[in-house]
Amino acid sequence: MKKLIMIFTLLLLVPWLLSAGTVTFLIKGIRSEKGKIILGIYDSEDSFLKRGKAISKCLQQGPIANGQVRVTCSLFPGTYAAGMFHDENDNDDIDVNFLGIPKEGYGFSNNAKGIVGLPDYKDAAFTVHTGDLQMEVTLKY
């Protein structure tokens, strides 16, 4: 009986698992064509912008051109927030000055801004359903 219940439960979950949505970020305001955009997806306030806590890193589609690039993510339905930066020197880290202020461009989903410092998860949060979602983000330097 337990096996039958487990099989039935898995069959109910299969359509949900196959119904991932695609989120495409159009990232604008990039000051140079050097480097790449690194974008992390977070699924909770506790993990938001914490090193090593992104649930997904997304794929940059092509090189940076004309100050912009597209980055695409495939995500299951749910609520997420994104943080991104322009890794101009390709060191896979955001460079900061002695005060901790970023020297490379950065941005957040919904173009969220913090009053002082980083934005709150709720301000950057977006919901993924099945299908495609488009979002524009302008980097700040």
Side-chain angles (χ1 to χ4, degrees), residues 23-141:
V23 181
T24 300
F25 294 90
L26 175 59
I27 302 170
K28 297 177 152 188
I30 304 171
R31 72 177 171 197
S32 81
E33 295 180 357
K34 293 186 222 169
K36 64 185 177 253
I37 297 296
I38 295 179
L39 187 148
I41 299 290
Y42 303 86
D43 65 352
S44 72
E45 189 170 342
D46 292 335
S47 66
F48 186 51
L49 304 175
K50 303 279 189 317
R51 187 176 295 273
K53 298 295 183 179
I55 62 158
S56 178
K57 290 188 178 177
C58 305
L59 300 175
Q60 180 175 315
Q61 294 183 330
I64 298 167
N66 300 317
Q68 62 185 30
V69 71
R70 292 186 188 281
V71 177
T72 301
C73 309
S74 184
L75 298 168
F76 294 116
T79 300
Y80 304 95
M84 63 212 68
F85 69 96
H86 179 200
D87 185 17
E88 284 184 273
N89 60 0
D90 272 326
N91 68 349
D92 294 325
D93 205 2
I94 187 163
D95 296 329
V96 296
N97 67 19
F98 69 96
L99 295 174
I101 298 170
K103 297 190 312 189
E104 296 176 304
Y106 62 94
F108 309 97
S109 45
N110 299 330
N111 283 309
K113 299 175 185 168
I115 295 171
V116 176
L118 301 173
D120 290 331
Y121 176 82
K122 65 179 173 39
D123 295 329
F126 59 92
T127 301
V128 174
H129 303 285
T130 57
D132 297 334
L133 176 64
Q134 307 282 324
M135 193 174 303
E136 281 189 15
V137 176
T138 301
L139 296 186
K140 297 167 209 64
Y141 285 87

